[in-house]
Amino acid sequence: MSVQVWTFIFVFLTFGLYIGIAICSRAGSTSDFYVAGGGVPPLANGMATAADWMSAASFISMAGLISFLGRDGTFYLMGWTGGYVLLALLLAPYLRKFGKFTVPDFIGDRYYSRTARLIAVFCAVAVSFVYVCGQMQGAGIVFSRFLEVDITTGVIIGMTIVFFYAVLGGMKGITYTQVAQYCVLIFAFMVPAIFISILMTGIPIPQIGFGAELNEAFGGGYLLDRLDGLSSELGFGVYTEGHRSTQDVFFITAALMFGTAGLPHVIIRFFTVPNVRDARRSAGFALIFIAILYTTAPAVAAFARTNLINTVNSAEYSAMPEWFSKWETTNLIAFDDKNGDGRIQYLANPELNELSVNRDIMVLANPEIAGLPNWVVALVAAGALAAALSTAAGLLLVISTSVAHDFMKRSFMPSISEKQELLYARIAIFAAVLVAGYVGINPPAYVAQVVAYAFGLAAASFFPAIVLGIFDKRMNKQGAIVGMIIGFLFTAGYIVYFKSINPAQDNAAGWLLGISPEGIGTLGTLLNLAVSLTVAKFSPEPPESVQAIVENIRLPGDTQPT
Amino acid sequence: MTDKPARHYWRANLRIVLSLLSIWFFISFVCGILLVDLLDTFRFGGFKLGFWIAQQGAIFVFVVLIFVYIYLMDKLDDEYQLNNKRKDSGQDVADEDTSS
């Protein structure tokens, strides 16, 4: 059977499964809709968090980016996992103890201020929205390549499915579909990785094959040594050495870590477990489930890179396998025979290089490059869709709860009934789906890069406000509000300046202190912290009742604050 | 926070969090980024040590850190609840270091 037929089968089966789960877990109350009634077991929540968290960027883009970045790609690996340590130790248990529905809920109550709540609503919607664009784009790439429908149709199919289970089930539906999506995506990521590892090194565990010797057919010697040799020969530099400045790698890693801990759609998952102990536990489970993919990704990156160079370099263009021409039709691979010899010269030097490869396709193309069976190739497509849809659903829920719960119910229309609130939440999801779909059809930049900016923004706005809200009893509304505004504006301004206003300056020489726009969130976070602490020092301390909330969330036990 | 078990609990909690976070910082930022070239001079199998920590080792350490945290906090929570009960029944509150 062809790849396309297999893809149809897998996509049809998995989508059917998601819809079935959605029908079984309809939401009856706002508590069901926002936090799945607070009754999700920690293991299931760990899986749902992992699927919520691992987006199209993790699944499709990350290994591809690493295979082009070499050792520098480490900021994605450590940044997107190290943030869970912060989340587990500094945020999750306390926010669960606080026991409300959303991140703006916490900010609004802790800082006793409607302004603070509204700023948090704005930041949550902005961050989630930037993030959702990346997901839709990822889903679009998969549909256009594997189902050979155009991107517009692909995005519309994806959005319809998400809309169906998000509107019907809210958080409850999303949680249980995410558990299923985790299983689909991890299976789809691991199967080809294991196949390729066996093919190239004879070792079925990719994490170990990564450091093992290649089979004779691939030239023998350690994989990484061989890859270092190949890449420096072609002028790309040694794979296992760094090429970016140390401070830039440092700042990007920190921005991704703080951002992970500040992302509203991840934090909100810890409101769904029964108690504080389970919140800690589910953070641990989530990181295990994530680590399975994240320790495999660098191995996949190295395998894919070696394989790509082996296959294409100095090979006859006319002898290229079928996958090559299929990707060419999507314009994600392009060949330009500059010296007219009919062979592909793949080199770092832009004058002589004849091949351009979009980094987003490495994971998707990898099984084909390695010549794996068609069903494995199709499985990867289903996995990528699971990753994109699960994250998109989580983000859309944040947007809808922010609008219905924090913006309308808690800020402007406190008298609406639960039924009306639920209706508004569903309308908000519907509107968010339409806008996200539009952006998916008219996308900006690379998937992982777009997502990296969302992290900078989350890091610079939420992370300090939440951490200070828990660990500094003296922090008041003035400090938190000014800190969030300055952190957000500084980071957003820096990114917009280098990406839209003055892209010519977007290089190491033009950056402030040599920090790229991806890493600027760290500076924004520090700025937010410094400003918050200074302002709080010179303004009145928070009222007794608020200090009592802080004392309450610091203690164990499941009594909720009144 | 006026009562003794509560203060004791919070201090022990901060101690646990700070010690685990210093390991977190050391393995990721110090070993994985700042000292990576130095560590690369050591090799095991096909890996350079610094490269391996940066791309895989640190992630394993993160997982272990969270589970150590879960274990220590569960123990601390139990102790706090026990102390609270003892206090209610008029007995003395234990004040030894409980985080180690």
Side-chain angles (χ1 to χ4, degrees):
Chain A
M1 275 193 284
S2 73
V3 172
Q4 206 183 347
V5 174
W6 275 114
T7 310
F8 268 115
I9 295 174
F10 282 132
V11 170
F12 187 78
L13 284 178
T14 52
F15 280 22
L17 177 68
Y18 306 153
I19 291 176
I21 293 172
I23 291 171
C24 293
S25 48
R26 280 188 308 271
S29 65
T30 48
S31 168
D32 274 354
F33 196 87
Y34 294 146
V35 294
V40 181
L43 190 69
N45 192 48
M47 273 194 201
T49 310
D52 199 359
W53 165 246
M54 291 193 289
S55 57
S58 294
F59 191 96
I60 304 175
S61 285
M62 190 177 66
L65 282 169
I66 296 168
S67 77
F68 285 77
L69 286 167
R71 191 186 77 195
D72 291 336
T74 199
F75 47 70
Y76 291 120
L77 293 165
M78 288 204 295
W80 283 341
T81 51
Y84 271 85
V85 178
L86 295 175
L87 195 60
L89 271 56
L90 299 178
L91 307 175
Y94 308 103
L95 291 174
R96 178 63 195 87
K97 180 74 194 295
F98 173 71
K100 291 279 178 66
F101 293 149
T102 66
V103 174
D105 248 349
F106 176 77
I107 302 269
D109 287 4
R110 168 62 182 83
Y111 295 115
Y112 47 98
S113 146
R114 192 163 84 172
T115 318
R117 187 187 301 274
L118 290 175
I119 294 170
V121 168
F122 173 79
C123 294
V125 172
V127 168
S128 304
F129 190 73
V130 173
Y131 210 126
V132 104
C133 298
Q135 307 314 312
M136 287 303 104
Q137 209 182 333
I141 292 177
V142 176
F143 275 113
S144 67
R145 166 60 182 82
F146 289 97
L147 296 179
E148 290 169 33
V149 296
D150 60 42
I151 290 192
T152 312
T153 320
V155 169
I156 291 171
I157 299 172
M159 295 316 312
T160 315
I161 300 290
V162 172
F163 170 74
F164 187 77
Y165 65 73
V167 170
L168 207 60
M171 187 55 125
K172 206 169 157 203
I174 288 174
T175 302
Y176 292 104
T177 31
Q178 279 172 340
V179 171
Q181 281 161 336
Y182 175 77
C183 300
V184 172
L185 83 87
I186 201 69
F187 187 69
F189 196 84
M190 295 308 292
V191 167
I194 291 169
F195 262 111
I196 293 173
S197 185
I198 295 175
L199 195 71
M200 293 179 74
T201 65
I203 293 171
I205 301 168
Q207 285 85 343
I208 298 175
F210 189 26
E213 293 187 51
L214 288 167
N215 286 337
E216 284 311 312
F218 289 88
Y222 284 118
L223 166 74
L224 289 169
D225 292 343
R226 170 111 181 121
L227 183 53
D228 279 350
L230 283 173
S231 4
S232 54
E233 208 176 289
L234 303 179
F236 291 105
V238 178
Y239 187 81
T240 56
E241 282 176 10
H243 305 287
R244 288 199 180 214
S245 71
T246 303
Q247 85 261 30
D248 196 26
V249 174
F250 191 99
F251 273 85
I252 297 178
T253 308
L256 296 180
M257 285 188 184
F258 296 146
T260 297
L263 280 178
H265 73 286
V266 176
I267 294 176
I268 207 172
R269 290 235 50 98
F270 295 96
F271 292 99
T272 65
V273 292
N275 57 50
V276 177
R277 280 180 192 229
D278 286 340
R280 291 198 285 258
R281 228 160 246 121
S282 76
F285 287 130
L287 187 58
I288 288 190
F289 293 132
I290 291 166
I292 296 173
L293 190 145
Y294 271 64
T295 52
T296 307
V300 170
F303 292 141
R305 186 78 182 147
T306 312
N307 238 331
L308 177 75
I309 296 176
N310 270 340
T311 311
V312 301
N313 192 43
S314 303
E316 295 268 0
Y317 175 66
S318 53
M320 278 294 111
E322 190 197 355
W323 60 264
F324 193 91
S325 54
K326 284 217 169 149
W327 283 107
E328 269 188 314
T329 57
T330 58
N331 288 325
L332 297 172
I333 281 182
F335 170 61
D336 168 20
D337 197 2
K338 287 176 186 152
N339 60 8
D341 67 352
R343 286 171 177 276
I344 299 170
Q345 267 82 36
Y346 182 45
L347 300 162
N349 183 344
E351 308 264 301
L352 298 173
N353 178 42
E354 299 179 344
L355 182 73
S356 67
V357 181
N358 181 307
R359 296 171 290 182
D360 283 348
I361 69 170
M362 288 303 284
V363 165
L364 300 174
N366 197 26
E368 294 173 288
I369 298 176
L372 297 184
N374 285 346
W375 66 269
V376 178
V377 178
L379 189 61
V380 173
L385 287 175
L389 297 183
S390 58
T391 306
L395 292 162
L396 291 168
L397 189 84
V398 167
I399 296 175
S400 94
T401 48
S402 298
V403 172
H405 181 69
D406 296 302
F407 189 75
M408 303 182 80
K409 170 90 177 171
R410 300 292 307 271
S411 301
F412 293 109
M413 305 162 71
S415 59
I416 54 173
S417 70
E418 185 168 317
K419 234 180 164 168
Q420 283 169 308
E421 193 185 335
L422 205 54
L423 179 69
Y424 284 125
R426 287 185 161 131
I427 295 173
I429 277 203
F430 179 66
V433 167
L434 290 184
V435 181
Y438 174 80
V439 178
I441 294 164
N442 306 286
Y446 288 110
V447 178
Q449 277 183 2
V450 172
V451 168
Y453 300 136
F455 283 85
L457 294 174
S461 54
F462 284 128
F463 182 69
I466 301 175
V467 170
L468 289 172
I470 297 162
F471 289 88
D472 182 4
K473 223 192 314 177
R474 178 69 179 71
M475 183 47 59
N476 58 14
K477 68 172 174 189
Q478 289 86 349
I481 291 173
V482 179
M484 280 194 289
I485 293 178
I486 291 190
F488 188 91
L489 288 183
F490 170 77
T491 308
Y494 192 86
I495 293 169
V496 170
Y497 178 79
F498 283 111
K499 291 295 162 189
S500 316
I501 300 173
N502 198 352
Q505 279 288 307
D506 190 12
N507 53 52
W511 297 333
L512 179 65
L513 303 172
I515 303 167
S516 60
E518 286 89 346
I520 200 64
T522 306
L523 218 54
T525 309
L526 297 176
L527 193 65
N528 180 339
L529 271 175
V531 168
S532 298
L533 289 168
T534 315
V535 172
K537 219 173 169 54
F538 296 104
S539 44
E541 63 174 67
E544 269 317 297
S545 61
V546 170
Q547 301 200 23
I549 296 181
V550 180
E551 280 181 10
N552 184 291
I553 59 173
R554 287 175 172 188
L555 291 178
D558 295 313
T559 40
Q560 301 211 343
T562 44
Chain B
M1 244 172 263
T2 44
D3 65 334
K4 211 171 167 188
R7 249 179 324 183
H8 178 81
Y9 175 84
W10 184 243
R11 268 207 308 269
N13 175 28
L14 288 181
R15 218 163 23 230
I16 292 173
V17 169
L18 283 177
S19 22
L20 294 177
L21 282 185
S22 30
I23 302 175
W24 164 83
F25 182 82
F26 178 77
I27 194 73
S28 51
F29 290 98
V30 178
C31 296
I33 296 173
L34 299 174
L35 299 181
V36 67
D37 288 318
L38 179 77
L39 293 171
D40 270 349
T41 53
F42 302 97
R43 281 188 70 123
F44 67 100
F47 288 119
K48 294 178 189 167
L49 182 60
F51 176 84
W52 182 78
I53 291 178
Q55 298 221 325
Q56 294 206 300
I59 300 176
F60 296 127
V61 175
F62 296 153
V63 173
V64 172
L65 283 177
I66 296 188
F67 279 91
V68 170
Y69 173 74
I70 293 170
Y71 172 75
L72 292 176
M73 288 307 287
D74 278 358
K75 227 170 66 175
L76 190 64
D77 281 6
D78 290 341
E79 240 159 66
Y80 171 80
Q81 255 123 25
L82 209 69
N83 277 347
N84 251 3
K85 261 188 221 139
R86 245 188 272 163
K87 189 190 70 183
D88 291 343
S89 60
Q91 279 171 308
D92 238 15
V93 176
D95 203 18
E96 79 273 19
D97 185 358
T98 46
S99 69
S100 53

